[in-house]
Short mmCIF file of all heavy atoms in Angstrom, two decimals:
data_model
loop_
_atom_site.label_atom_id
_atom_site.label_comp_id
_atom_site.label_asym_id
_atom_site.label_seq_id
_atom_site.Cartn_x
_atom_site.Cartn_y
_atom_site.Cartn_z
N ARG X 644 -16.79 -8.89 -41.56
CA ARG X 644 -16.23 -8.06 -42.62
C ARG X 644 -15.63 -6.82 -41.99
O ARG X 644 -15.90 -6.50 -40.82
CB ARG X 644 -17.29 -7.68 -43.65
CG ARG X 644 -18.27 -6.62 -43.18
CD ARG X 644 -19.33 -6.33 -44.24
NE ARG X 644 -20.09 -5.13 -43.95
CZ ARG X 644 -21.09 -5.03 -43.11
NH1 ARG X 644 -21.48 -6.11 -42.43
NH2 ARG X 644 -21.72 -3.89 -42.91
N LEU X 645 -14.81 -6.12 -42.75
CA LEU X 645 -14.18 -4.88 -42.29
C LEU X 645 -14.75 -3.70 -43.06
O LEU X 645 -14.98 -3.79 -44.27
CB LEU X 645 -12.67 -4.93 -42.48
CG LEU X 645 -11.90 -5.94 -41.64
CD1 LEU X 645 -10.42 -5.89 -41.99
CD2 LEU X 645 -12.08 -5.70 -40.15
N VAL X 646 -15.01 -2.60 -42.36
CA VAL X 646 -15.31 -1.32 -42.98
C VAL X 646 -14.21 -0.35 -42.59
O VAL X 646 -13.47 -0.58 -41.62
CB VAL X 646 -16.69 -0.79 -42.56
CG1 VAL X 646 -17.79 -1.70 -43.07
CG2 VAL X 646 -16.78 -0.67 -41.03
N PHE X 647 -14.10 0.74 -43.32
CA PHE X 647 -12.94 1.62 -43.16
C PHE X 647 -13.40 3.07 -43.04
O PHE X 647 -14.11 3.58 -43.91
CB PHE X 647 -11.99 1.45 -44.35
CG PHE X 647 -11.53 0.04 -44.55
CD1 PHE X 647 -12.27 -0.86 -45.33
CD2 PHE X 647 -10.39 -0.42 -43.92
CE1 PHE X 647 -11.86 -2.17 -45.50
CE2 PHE X 647 -9.97 -1.74 -44.08
CZ PHE X 647 -10.71 -2.61 -44.87
N GLN X 648 -13.00 3.72 -41.94
CA GLN X 648 -13.35 5.12 -41.72
C GLN X 648 -12.12 5.99 -41.99
O GLN X 648 -11.05 5.74 -41.43
CB GLN X 648 -13.84 5.36 -40.29
CG GLN X 648 -14.35 6.78 -40.07
CD GLN X 648 -15.03 6.94 -38.72
OE1 GLN X 648 -14.55 6.41 -37.73
NE2 GLN X 648 -16.15 7.65 -38.67
N PRO X 649 -12.27 7.01 -42.85
CA PRO X 649 -11.11 7.84 -43.19
C PRO X 649 -10.66 8.73 -42.03
O PRO X 649 -11.47 9.18 -41.23
CB PRO X 649 -11.61 8.68 -44.37
CG PRO X 649 -13.09 8.67 -44.25
CD PRO X 649 -13.46 7.39 -43.61
N LYS X 650 -9.35 8.96 -41.95
CA LYS X 650 -8.75 9.94 -41.04
C LYS X 650 -8.22 11.08 -41.91
O LYS X 650 -7.46 10.84 -42.86
CB LYS X 650 -7.62 9.32 -40.23
CG LYS X 650 -8.10 8.25 -39.26
CD LYS X 650 -7.02 7.85 -38.27
CE LYS X 650 -5.94 7.02 -38.94
NZ LYS X 650 -4.97 6.49 -37.96
N VAL X 651 -8.61 12.31 -41.58
CA VAL X 651 -8.28 13.45 -42.43
C VAL X 651 -7.57 14.51 -41.60
O VAL X 651 -7.70 14.57 -40.37
CB VAL X 651 -9.54 14.04 -43.08
CG1 VAL X 651 -10.20 13.02 -43.99
CG2 VAL X 651 -10.51 14.53 -42.02
N THR X 652 -6.83 15.37 -42.31
CA THR X 652 -6.18 16.50 -41.63
C THR X 652 -7.21 17.56 -41.31
O THR X 652 -8.17 17.77 -42.07
CB THR X 652 -5.08 17.09 -42.52
OG1 THR X 652 -5.67 17.54 -43.75
CG2 THR X 652 -3.99 16.06 -42.81
N ILE X 653 -7.03 18.24 -40.19
CA ILE X 653 -7.97 19.30 -39.81
C ILE X 653 -7.83 20.49 -40.74
O ILE X 653 -8.81 21.11 -41.14
CB ILE X 653 -7.76 19.68 -38.34
CG1 ILE X 653 -8.29 18.54 -37.45
CG2 ILE X 653 -8.44 20.99 -37.99
CD1 ILE X 653 -8.27 18.82 -35.99
N ASP X 654 -6.61 20.83 -41.09
CA ASP X 654 -6.38 21.92 -42.05
C ASP X 654 -6.30 21.32 -43.45
O ASP X 654 -5.36 20.62 -43.80
CB ASP X 654 -5.07 22.65 -41.72
CG ASP X 654 -5.16 23.39 -40.40
OD1 ASP X 654 -6.27 23.81 -40.04
OD2 ASP X 654 -4.11 23.52 -39.72
N GLY X 655 -7.33 21.56 -44.24
CA GLY X 655 -7.33 21.07 -45.61
C GLY X 655 -8.17 19.84 -45.82
O GLY X 655 -8.52 19.52 -46.95
N GLU X 656 -8.55 19.14 -44.75
CA GLU X 656 -9.38 17.93 -44.84
C GLU X 656 -8.88 17.00 -45.93
O GLU X 656 -9.61 16.57 -46.82
CB GLU X 656 -10.84 18.30 -45.05
CG GLU X 656 -11.44 19.04 -43.86
CD GLU X 656 -12.96 19.05 -43.89
OE1 GLU X 656 -13.51 18.81 -44.98
OE2 GLU X 656 -13.56 19.28 -42.82
N ARG X 657 -7.61 16.66 -45.86
CA ARG X 657 -6.99 15.72 -46.78
C ARG X 657 -6.89 14.36 -46.08
O ARG X 657 -6.43 14.26 -44.97
CB ARG X 657 -5.61 16.23 -47.18
CG ARG X 657 -4.88 15.32 -48.17
CD ARG X 657 -3.56 15.98 -48.58
NE ARG X 657 -2.71 16.24 -47.41
CZ ARG X 657 -1.90 15.33 -46.86
NH1 ARG X 657 -1.83 14.11 -47.37
NH2 ARG X 657 -1.16 15.65 -45.82
N ILE X 658 -7.32 13.31 -46.79
CA ILE X 658 -7.28 11.96 -46.20
C ILE X 658 -5.83 11.52 -46.05
O ILE X 658 -5.05 11.55 -47.01
CB ILE X 658 -8.05 10.96 -47.09
CG1 ILE X 658 -9.56 11.27 -47.05
CG2 ILE X 658 -7.81 9.53 -46.61
CD1 ILE X 658 -10.39 10.33 -47.89
N VAL X 659 -5.48 11.12 -44.83
CA VAL X 659 -4.12 10.63 -44.57
C VAL X 659 -4.11 9.15 -44.23
O VAL X 659 -3.04 8.57 -44.06
CB VAL X 659 -3.47 11.44 -43.42
CG1 VAL X 659 -3.26 12.87 -43.83
CG2 VAL X 659 -4.33 11.35 -42.15
N GLY X 660 -5.29 8.54 -44.13
CA GLY X 660 -5.33 7.11 -43.83
C GLY X 660 -6.73 6.69 -43.43
O GLY X 660 -7.68 7.49 -43.47
N PHE X 661 -6.87 5.41 -43.06
CA PHE X 661 -8.16 4.85 -42.66
C PHE X 661 -7.97 4.02 -41.39
O PHE X 661 -6.85 3.56 -41.08
CB PHE X 661 -8.73 3.95 -43.76
CG PHE X 661 -9.12 4.69 -45.01
CD1 PHE X 661 -8.18 5.01 -45.98
CD2 PHE X 661 -10.44 5.07 -45.22
CE1 PHE X 661 -8.53 5.68 -47.12
CE2 PHE X 661 -10.80 5.74 -46.37
CZ PHE X 661 -9.86 6.06 -47.33
N GLU X 662 -9.09 3.82 -40.67
CA GLU X 662 -9.10 2.89 -39.54
C GLU X 662 -10.02 1.73 -39.90
O GLU X 662 -11.17 1.93 -40.30
CB GLU X 662 -9.59 3.55 -38.26
CG GLU X 662 -9.62 2.57 -37.08
CD GLU X 662 -10.12 3.19 -35.79
OE1 GLU X 662 -10.47 4.39 -35.79
OE2 GLU X 662 -10.17 2.46 -34.78
N ALA X 663 -9.52 0.49 -39.75
CA ALA X 663 -10.31 -0.70 -40.04
C ALA X 663 -11.20 -1.03 -38.84
O ALA X 663 -10.71 -1.15 -37.72
CB ALA X 663 -9.39 -1.88 -40.35
N LEU X 664 -12.51 -1.17 -39.10
CA LEU X 664 -13.48 -1.45 -38.05
C LEU X 664 -14.23 -2.75 -38.37
O LEU X 664 -14.54 -3.03 -39.53
CB LEU X 664 -14.47 -0.29 -37.92
CG LEU X 664 -13.85 1.07 -37.61
CD1 LEU X 664 -14.89 2.17 -37.70
CD2 LEU X 664 -13.19 1.07 -36.24
N MET X 665 -14.54 -3.53 -37.34
CA MET X 665 -15.15 -4.85 -37.50
C MET X 665 -16.67 -4.74 -37.54
O MET X 665 -17.27 -3.98 -36.79
CB MET X 665 -14.72 -5.75 -36.33
CG MET X 665 -15.16 -7.18 -36.47
SD MET X 665 -14.11 -8.09 -37.59
CE MET X 665 -12.56 -8.07 -36.66
N ARG X 666 -17.29 -5.52 -38.45
CA ARG X 666 -18.75 -5.63 -38.53
C ARG X 666 -19.11 -7.11 -38.64
O ARG X 666 -18.36 -7.91 -39.21
CB ARG X 666 -19.29 -4.86 -39.74
CG ARG X 666 -19.09 -3.36 -39.65
CD ARG X 666 -19.90 -2.74 -38.53
NE ARG X 666 -19.78 -1.29 -38.50
CZ ARG X 666 -18.90 -0.64 -37.75
NH1 ARG X 666 -18.06 -1.31 -36.98
NH2 ARG X 666 -18.87 0.68 -37.78
N TRP X 667 -20.29 -7.51 -38.09
CA TRP X 667 -20.74 -8.90 -38.10
C TRP X 667 -22.20 -8.96 -38.50
O TRP X 667 -23.06 -8.39 -37.83
CB TRP X 667 -20.53 -9.51 -36.72
CG TRP X 667 -21.01 -10.94 -36.62
CD1 TRP X 667 -21.12 -11.85 -37.62
CD2 TRP X 667 -21.46 -11.60 -35.43
NE1 TRP X 667 -21.60 -13.04 -37.15
CE2 TRP X 667 -21.80 -12.93 -35.81
CE3 TRP X 667 -21.58 -11.22 -34.11
CZ2 TRP X 667 -22.28 -13.85 -34.90
CZ3 TRP X 667 -22.04 -12.14 -33.19
CH2 TRP X 667 -22.39 -13.44 -33.57
N ASN X 668 -22.46 -9.64 -39.59
CA ASN X 668 -23.83 -9.87 -40.05
C ASN X 668 -24.09 -11.37 -39.94
O ASN X 668 -23.69 -12.16 -40.79
CB ASN X 668 -24.00 -9.38 -41.48
CG ASN X 668 -25.44 -9.43 -41.93
OD1 ASN X 668 -26.34 -9.78 -41.16
ND2 ASN X 668 -25.69 -9.08 -43.18
N SER X 669 -24.76 -11.76 -38.83
CA SER X 669 -25.01 -13.17 -38.55
C SER X 669 -26.21 -13.66 -39.35
O SER X 669 -27.22 -12.95 -39.47
CB SER X 669 -25.25 -13.38 -37.06
OG SER X 669 -25.69 -14.69 -36.80
N ALA X 670 -26.09 -14.89 -39.87
CA ALA X 670 -27.19 -15.46 -40.62
C ALA X 670 -28.42 -15.68 -39.74
O ALA X 670 -29.56 -15.58 -40.21
CB ALA X 670 -26.75 -16.79 -41.25
N GLU X 671 -28.22 -15.97 -38.45
CA GLU X 671 -29.34 -16.21 -37.54
C GLU X 671 -29.75 -14.96 -36.76
O GLU X 671 -30.93 -14.74 -36.50
CB GLU X 671 -28.98 -17.32 -36.53
CG GLU X 671 -28.84 -18.70 -37.12
CD GLU X 671 -27.46 -18.93 -37.69
OE1 GLU X 671 -26.61 -18.01 -37.57
OE2 GLU X 671 -27.24 -20.02 -38.27
N LEU X 672 -28.77 -14.14 -36.35
CA LEU X 672 -29.04 -13.00 -35.47
C LEU X 672 -29.16 -11.68 -36.21
O LEU X 672 -29.57 -10.68 -35.62
CB LEU X 672 -27.93 -12.88 -34.42
CG LEU X 672 -27.66 -14.12 -33.58
CD1 LEU X 672 -26.50 -13.87 -32.63
CD2 LEU X 672 -28.90 -14.52 -32.79
N GLY X 673 -28.78 -11.63 -37.48
CA GLY X 673 -28.78 -10.37 -38.22
C GLY X 673 -27.54 -9.56 -37.91
O GLY X 673 -26.50 -10.08 -37.50
N GLU X 674 -27.65 -8.24 -38.09
CA GLU X 674 -26.52 -7.34 -37.83
C GLU X 674 -26.34 -7.20 -36.32
O GLU X 674 -27.24 -6.76 -35.61
CB GLU X 674 -26.77 -5.97 -38.46
CG GLU X 674 -25.55 -5.08 -38.53
CD GLU X 674 -24.55 -5.55 -39.58
OE1 GLU X 674 -24.97 -6.15 -40.60
OE2 GLU X 674 -23.34 -5.31 -39.38
N VAL X 675 -25.16 -7.57 -35.83
CA VAL X 675 -24.85 -7.52 -34.39
C VAL X 675 -23.89 -6.37 -34.15
O VAL X 675 -22.88 -6.23 -34.85
CB VAL X 675 -24.23 -8.84 -33.90
CG1 VAL X 675 -24.02 -8.79 -32.40
CG2 VAL X 675 -25.13 -10.01 -34.27
N SER X 676 -24.20 -5.53 -33.16
CA SER X 676 -23.38 -4.35 -32.87
C SER X 676 -22.01 -4.77 -32.35
O SER X 676 -21.89 -5.71 -31.54
CB SER X 676 -24.07 -3.47 -31.83
OG SER X 676 -23.19 -2.48 -31.34
N PRO X 677 -20.94 -4.07 -32.77
CA PRO X 677 -19.61 -4.36 -32.20
C PRO X 677 -19.57 -4.18 -30.70
O PRO X 677 -18.83 -4.87 -30.01
CB PRO X 677 -18.69 -3.36 -32.92
CG PRO X 677 -19.41 -2.99 -34.17
CD PRO X 677 -20.88 -3.06 -33.84
N ALA X 678 -20.37 -3.23 -30.19
CA ALA X 678 -20.40 -3.03 -28.73
C ALA X 678 -20.93 -4.25 -28.01
O ALA X 678 -20.69 -4.43 -26.81
CB ALA X 678 -21.26 -1.82 -28.39
N GLN X 679 -21.64 -5.14 -28.74
CA GLN X 679 -22.18 -6.35 -28.12
C GLN X 679 -21.24 -7.53 -28.28
O GLN X 679 -21.02 -8.30 -27.33
CB GLN X 679 -23.53 -6.68 -28.74
CG GLN X 679 -24.25 -7.87 -28.10
CD GLN X 679 -25.61 -8.13 -28.70
OE1 GLN X 679 -26.02 -7.47 -29.66
NE2 GLN X 679 -26.34 -9.09 -28.14
N PHE X 680 -20.64 -7.70 -29.47
CA PHE X 680 -19.86 -8.92 -29.66
C PHE X 680 -18.36 -8.77 -29.39
O PHE X 680 -17.70 -9.75 -29.08
CB PHE X 680 -20.08 -9.50 -31.06
CG PHE X 680 -19.42 -8.76 -32.20
CD1 PHE X 680 -18.09 -8.97 -32.53
CD2 PHE X 680 -20.14 -7.86 -32.96
CE1 PHE X 680 -17.49 -8.31 -33.58
CE2 PHE X 680 -19.57 -7.19 -34.03
CZ PHE X 680 -18.23 -7.42 -34.33
N ILE X 681 -17.81 -7.55 -29.45
CA ILE X 681 -16.38 -7.38 -29.17
C ILE X 681 -16.05 -7.71 -27.71
O ILE X 681 -15.09 -8.44 -27.44
CB ILE X 681 -15.92 -5.96 -29.54
CG1 ILE X 681 -15.96 -5.77 -31.06
CG2 ILE X 681 -14.50 -5.69 -29.02
CD1 ILE X 681 -15.00 -6.64 -31.82
N PRO X 682 -16.82 -7.21 -26.70
CA PRO X 682 -16.51 -7.61 -25.31
C PRO X 682 -16.62 -9.12 -25.10
O PRO X 682 -15.84 -9.69 -24.33
CB PRO X 682 -17.56 -6.85 -24.49
CG PRO X 682 -17.95 -5.68 -25.34
CD PRO X 682 -17.88 -6.18 -26.75
N ILE X 683 -17.57 -9.78 -25.77
CA ILE X 683 -17.68 -11.24 -25.63
C ILE X 683 -16.46 -11.91 -26.22
O ILE X 683 -15.91 -12.87 -25.66
CB ILE X 683 -18.97 -11.72 -26.32
CG1 ILE X 683 -20.21 -11.17 -25.58
CG2 ILE X 683 -19.02 -13.25 -26.37
CD1 ILE X 683 -21.52 -11.51 -26.23
N ALA X 684 -16.00 -11.41 -27.36
CA ALA X 684 -14.79 -11.97 -27.97
C ALA X 684 -13.58 -11.78 -27.07
O ALA X 684 -12.74 -12.67 -26.94
CB ALA X 684 -14.54 -11.31 -29.33
N GLU X 685 -13.49 -10.63 -26.40
CA GLU X 685 -12.37 -10.38 -25.46
C GLU X 685 -12.43 -11.35 -24.30
O GLU X 685 -11.42 -11.95 -23.91
CB GLU X 685 -12.45 -8.94 -24.96
CG GLU X 685 -11.97 -7.88 -25.92
CD GLU X 685 -10.46 -7.76 -25.93
OE1 GLU X 685 -9.80 -8.53 -25.20
OE2 GLU X 685 -9.94 -6.92 -26.67
N ARG X 686 -13.63 -11.53 -23.74
CA ARG X 686 -13.78 -12.35 -22.54
C ARG X 686 -13.49 -13.82 -22.83
O ARG X 686 -12.92 -14.53 -22.01
CB ARG X 686 -15.19 -12.19 -21.98
CG ARG X 686 -15.43 -12.89 -20.64
CD ARG X 686 -16.86 -12.78 -20.17
NE ARG X 686 -17.34 -11.42 -20.15
CZ ARG X 686 -18.29 -10.95 -20.95
NH1 ARG X 686 -18.86 -11.73 -21.84
NH2 ARG X 686 -18.68 -9.71 -20.87
N THR X 687 -13.89 -14.30 -24.00
CA THR X 687 -13.76 -15.72 -24.31
C THR X 687 -12.46 -16.07 -25.02
O THR X 687 -12.15 -17.25 -25.20
CB THR X 687 -14.93 -16.16 -25.21
OG1 THR X 687 -14.90 -15.38 -26.42
CG2 THR X 687 -16.26 -15.96 -24.51
#
Side-chain angles (χ1 to χ4, degrees):
R644 74 182 193 280
L645 294 178
V646 295
F647 303 88
Q648 186 171 42
K650 294 192 287 187
V651 298
T652 59
I653 287 186
D654 293 331
E656 295 196 341
R657 181 176 58 84
I658 292 180
V659 294
F661 292 82
E662 179 181 1
L664 302 172
M665 187 79 66
R666 295 294 184 266
W667 178 26
N668 188 3
S669 171
E671 291 84 2
L672 305 177
E674 193 72 30
V675 184
S676 168
Q679 185 177 4
F680 74 82
I681 291 295
I683 294 176
E685 283 280 2
R686 186 184 307 113
T687 59

